[in-house]
């Protein structure tokens, strides 16, 4: 996967310094910067070399030189699509997915996107006219942003590349594509509508039918993501989703390693160690102690992640440590269990919402994953030149999950029940019996970073990210405050609102109480008189 930067319009070549700044802002996403410069079109890629590493040089140009592609991500079924292109009489010069993306778009137009199984964002530029076709994968695993300034169109993988322009930044939404000219905003439309997932398809109300479909679909989603000659890592939290991902990767790839970030003595680390020992998988532990995390760590995590919600920023601090260790271990490709909670009801909100609103809440969370969990994973992994692949968010998985009724997702006192049932024959009982326990909460890392939350707004403004969106309260908190009334919560979140000074004050007081209580507990002393125990969160 890569970082991309494009500048299109009259006199683009005279804006080379601006373009170089854009590319430098995303250079951490790749190992080598590659550029193509015309008088009115500047294209660049910071390329992480994974598929056809020697020949897939970007920006990739068509055989006649008319078209150029900057591409971030991977299309996992590129071999299948290449065979179809050859059958149609089109020739290729490499075995890369990069070339397949360009040739497929030129051969089949927008319809090519519906045949791509992958995690991608790209821009195809017609060099003579400077028209550009933009596209982003269905779930929004890979990012893509644009901004207009001085009659020119600027496109990049990250917001930080566009902040210096001093203008409003926009995203290409997940599952969207469309054409743009240098002086015209992109005309984008959905080729996959995330709000209509599973619509018109039969509901899988039978337990065994749903379980069989889930086993087949998830295993295939993992299979296509481990089709590489590189060593594959798995981010292992010790919970259900990452444990299942590790079990499947171990069965499908000959060389895998697990990475766990955590606090010594935490339940997460104990479960992760037990599973890797049982599977005979190499296990890299990234130890983090809450008191090690400081203001500079929070500020850097915010700079890298560009996140807009407080909880995601807190989790990004821990993710930074994790992916730094993955890079240090020489691993370029990892799989994660992200997305499962949103698909199968892993959060408290799914138990509190009215039954008639459950499907809409699932779809709402899926649509905005590209601003929350997926953005955290993309930015923190790519900032360390690590490609994170997300099998739970394969389009087939998204569609399937929306056909499985809520009563199979939450059953017998368990969240994600159908997932536990479907893989009970390959997962140890100690994994399937364990309830969700968010790592940062259970280990104290969340509460340590929570001490810095009053500083988040100033940090956010200092990076200039308000050019895209304001810092805002977590949607889960908004939903809770409105009694789990989904319509009221969605309305209250538009426009987005930050915490008030009073809310910041109460939150900081709670964080101080928790940390003082924890400090006393660790020292083995009794609580001071009048100091109540504070619950996490």
């Amino acid at each position: 996967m890569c970082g991309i930067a494009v500048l299109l319009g009259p006199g683009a070549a005279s804006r080379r310094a601006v373009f170089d700044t854009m590319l430098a802002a995303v250079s951490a996403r790749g190992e080598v910067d590659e550029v193509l410069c015309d008088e009115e079109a500047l294209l660049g890629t910071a390329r992480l070399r994974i598929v056809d590493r020697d020949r897939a040089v970007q920006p990739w140009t068509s055989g006649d030189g008319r078209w150029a592609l900057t591409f971030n991500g991977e299309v996992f079924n590129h071999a299948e699509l290449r065979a179809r292109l050859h059958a149609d009489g089109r020739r290729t010069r490499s075995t890369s997915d990069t070339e397949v993306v360009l040739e497929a778009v030129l051969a089949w137009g927008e319809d090519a996107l519906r045949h791509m199984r992958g995690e991608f964002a790209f821009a195809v530029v017609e060099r003579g006219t400077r028209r550009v076709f933009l596209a982003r994968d269905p779930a929004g695993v890979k990012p893509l942003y644009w901004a207009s300034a001085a009659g020119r169109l600027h496109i990049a993988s990250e917001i930080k590349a566009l902040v210096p322009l001093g203008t409003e930044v926009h995203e290409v939404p997940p599952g969207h594509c469309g054409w743009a000219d240098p002086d015209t905003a992109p005309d984008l439309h959905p080729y996959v509508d995330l709000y209509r997932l599973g619509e018109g398809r039969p509901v899988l109300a039978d337990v065994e039918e749903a379980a069989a479909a889930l086993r087949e679909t998830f295993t295939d989603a993992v299979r296509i993501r481990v089709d590489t000659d590189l060593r594959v890592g798995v981010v292992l939290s010790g919970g259900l989703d990452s444990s299942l991902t590790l079990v499947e990767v171990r069965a499908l790839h000959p060389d895998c390693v697990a990475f766990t970030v955590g606090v010594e003595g935490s339940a997460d680390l104990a479960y992760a160690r037990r599973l890797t020992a049982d599977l005979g998988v190499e296990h890299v532990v990234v130890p983090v102690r809450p008191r090690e995390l400081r203001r500079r760590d929070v500020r850097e995590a915010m700079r890298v992640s560009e996140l807009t919600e407080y909880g995601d920023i807190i989790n990004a601090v821990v993710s930074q440590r994790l992916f730094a260790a993955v890079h240090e271990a020489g691993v370029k490709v990892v799989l994660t269990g992200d997305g499962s909670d949103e698909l199968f009801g892993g959060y408290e909100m799914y138990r509190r919402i009215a039954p008639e609103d459950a499907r809409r809440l699932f779809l709402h969370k899926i649509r905005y994953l590209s601003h929350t969990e997926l953005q955290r994973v993309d930015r923190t992994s790519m900032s360390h030149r690590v490609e994170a692949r997300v099998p739970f968010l394969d389009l087939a998985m998204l569609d399937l999950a929306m056909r499985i009724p809520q009563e199979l997702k939450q059953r017998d006192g368990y969240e994600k029940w159908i997932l536990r049932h479907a893989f009970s024959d390959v997962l140890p009982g100690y994994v399937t019996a364990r309830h969700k326990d968010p790592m940062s909460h259970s280990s104290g890392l969340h509460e340590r970073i929570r001490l810095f939350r009053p500083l988040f707004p100033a940090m956010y403004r200092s990076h200039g990210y308000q050019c895209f969106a304001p810092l805002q309260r977590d949607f889960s908190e908004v939903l809770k405050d409105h009694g789990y009334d989904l319509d009221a919560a969605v309305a209250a979140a538009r426009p987005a609102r930050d915490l008030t000074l009073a809310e910041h004050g109460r939150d900081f007081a709670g964080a101080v109480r928790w940390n003082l209580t924890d400090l006393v507990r660790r020292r083995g002393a009794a609580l001071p008189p009048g100091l109540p125990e504070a619950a996490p969160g």
Side-chain angles (χ1 to χ4, degrees):
M1 298 199 180
C2 311
I4 65 178
V6 179
L7 198 164
L8 301 172
S14 68
R15 305 289 290 173
R16 181 61 188 262
V18 173
F19 171 75
D20 288 345
T21 298
M22 291 171 60
L23 188 57
V26 298
S27 63
R29 299 176 69 93
E31 300 161 301
V32 59
D33 289 352
E34 299 166 341
V35 299
L36 177 64
C37 299
D38 294 334
E39 183 61 30
E40 297 190 3
L42 306 178
L43 294 81
T45 306
R47 183 164 65 98
L48 184 62
R49 294 173 286 201
I50 292 179
V51 179
D52 200 357
R53 295 183 280 277
D54 295 330
R55 290 184 293 176
V57 176
Q58 292 196 46
W60 185 272
T61 56
S62 59
D64 59 6
R66 177 183 173 186
W67 302 91
L69 166 74
T70 54
F71 170 53
N72 170 29
E74 183 164 339
V75 172
F76 302 118
N77 64 334
H78 63 91
E80 171 194 334
L81 297 180
R82 186 180 300 105
R84 289 186 55 186
L85 288 166
H86 289 172
D88 287 350
R90 301 187 76 95
R91 303 176 63 182
T92 56
R93 296 167 279 154
S94 72
T95 58
S96 73
D97 58 329
T98 302
E99 181 178 21
V100 166
V101 167
L102 179 56
E103 291 298 325
V105 170
L106 297 182
W108 308 321
E110 179 184 318
D111 193 52
L113 301 172
R114 300 181 180 90
H115 299 290
M116 294 178 185
R117 292 189 65 186
E119 302 166 359
F120 55 82
F122 62 82
V124 175
V125 176
E126 187 175 29
R127 298 171 69 184
T129 65
R130 284 85 60 200
R131 293 180 68 233
V132 58
F133 179 73
L134 304 174
R136 190 176 179 192
D137 68 73
V141 178
K142 293 291 104 184
L144 193 59
Y145 300 92
W146 64 272
S148 294
R152 303 179 186 91
L153 182 64
H154 304 72
I155 302 160
S157 292
E158 298 186 7
I159 299 166
K160 58 179 66 70
L162 302 173
V163 166
L165 298 174
T167 188
E168 188 175 0
V169 174
H170 310 268
E171 74 165 340
V172 175
H176 279 60
C177 67
W179 287 90
D181 295 299
D183 58 352
T184 306
D187 182 14
L188 302 170
H189 60 274
Y191 66 91
V192 170
D193 189 344
L194 292 179
Y195 288 116
R196 303 183 68 177
L197 290 168
E199 193 173 286
R201 305 283 304 282
V203 173
L204 298 176
D206 179 79
V207 169
E208 297 311 321
E209 182 183 5
L214 189 51
R215 284 194 298 270
E216 179 181 357
T217 306
F218 184 69
T219 299
D220 188 57
V222 173
R223 177 190 61 79
I224 63 171
R225 284 166 174 79
V226 298
D227 184 15
T228 176
D229 61 344
L230 298 173
R231 191 174 209 206
V232 173
V234 175
V235 176
L236 177 64
S237 70
L240 174 67
D241 313 319
S242 62
S243 295
L244 174 57
T245 303
L246 177 62
V247 168
E248 292 291 300
V249 170
R250 178 183 175 274
L252 294 166
H253 194 277
D255 185 12
C256 67
V257 54
F259 294 88
T260 303
V261 60
V263 176
E264 285 294 344
S266 68
D268 291 320
L269 201 48
Y271 275 91
R273 280 179 167 144
R274 182 176 180 183
L275 181 63
T276 52
D278 288 348
L279 296 176
V281 171
E282 181 183 346
H283 189 204
V284 176
V285 174
V286 186
V288 180
R289 294 180 296 178
R291 61 182 179 273
E292 294 175 352
L293 300 175
R294 304 184 183 279
R295 176 178 175 175
R296 63 176 177 270
D297 299 299
V298 178
R299 180 176 175 79
E300 177 63 7
M302 185 178 291
R303 184 195 70 80
V304 167
S305 67
E306 307 174 340
L307 289 159
T308 60
E309 291 192 11
Y310 285 80
D312 295 311
I313 293 168
I314 289 174
N315 290 334
V317 177
V318 181
S319 296
Q320 280 281 90
R321 296 288 185 99
L322 171 70
F323 288 114
V326 175
H327 174 72
E328 187 177 336
V331 174
K332 286 187 183 181
V333 174
V334 298
L335 271 66
T336 82
D338 291 281
S340 175
D341 288 316
E342 286 76 12
L343 297 187
F344 298 104
Y347 298 124
E348 180 185 6
M349 68 179 74
Y350 293 109
R351 297 189 291 275
R352 300 295 187 91
I353 198 79
E356 61 270 21
D357 289 338
R359 176 179 172 80
R360 287 199 299 133
L361 178 58
F362 277 105
L363 294 173
H364 178 86
K365 289 291 290 180
I366 290 169
R367 169 59 183 83
Y368 287 98
L369 268 173
S370 61
H371 293 173
T372 55
E373 287 291 300
L374 286 181
Q375 184 167 320
R376 173 185 60 80
V377 172
D378 171 78
R379 302 298 197 280
T380 55
S381 62
M382 292 303 294
S383 70
H384 296 287
R385 296 180 172 90
V386 174
E387 175 179 308
R389 302 177 178 179
V390 194
F392 276 105
L393 296 178
D394 189 274
L395 182 57
M397 281 292 294
L398 293 173
D399 183 80
L400 173 63
M402 290 302 99
R403 296 169 55 208
I404 297 176
Q406 173 75 350
E407 55 266 26
L408 296 188
K409 295 178 179 180
Q410 294 172 332
R411 179 168 166 172
D412 300 339
Y414 280 96
E415 73 284 351
K416 299 179 285 191
W417 181 87
I418 187 62
L419 198 61
R420 300 169 193 271
H421 176 73
F423 291 94
S424 59
D425 59 333
V426 298
L427 285 171
Y430 58 83
V431 171
T432 57
R434 189 187 183 200
H435 288 279
K436 183 175 178 61
D437 186 13
M439 182 274 291
S440 60
H441 286 271
S442 63
S443 64
L445 295 173
H446 179 98
E447 296 302 321
R448 168 64 180 181
I449 303 167
R450 188 176 161 208
L451 288 171
F452 301 100
R453 277 177 42 138
L455 305 177
F456 283 16
M459 291 182 185
Y460 188 80
R461 288 192 299 270
S462 73
H463 295 307
Y465 295 152
Q466 67 272 15
C467 66
F468 173 67
L471 190 65
Q472 57 197 275
R473 303 169 70 220
D474 294 5
F475 181 75
S476 59
E477 294 178 0
V478 177
L479 186 61
K480 182 179 180 180
D481 289 348
H482 286 80
Y484 295 94
D485 181 325
L486 182 59
D487 290 325
V490 170
R494 297 174 182 166
R497 181 177 74 79
D498 196 355
L499 297 172
T500 65
L501 287 175
E503 288 169 334
H504 269 304
R506 289 194 295 271
D507 182 67
F508 180 70
V512 169
R513 285 197 302 272
W514 195 97
N515 280 273
L516 286 176
T517 300
D518 184 61
L519 177 63
V520 171
R521 183 183 294 113
R522 283 191 287 107
R523 290 180 175 177
L527 286 175
L531 184 65
E533 291 194 24

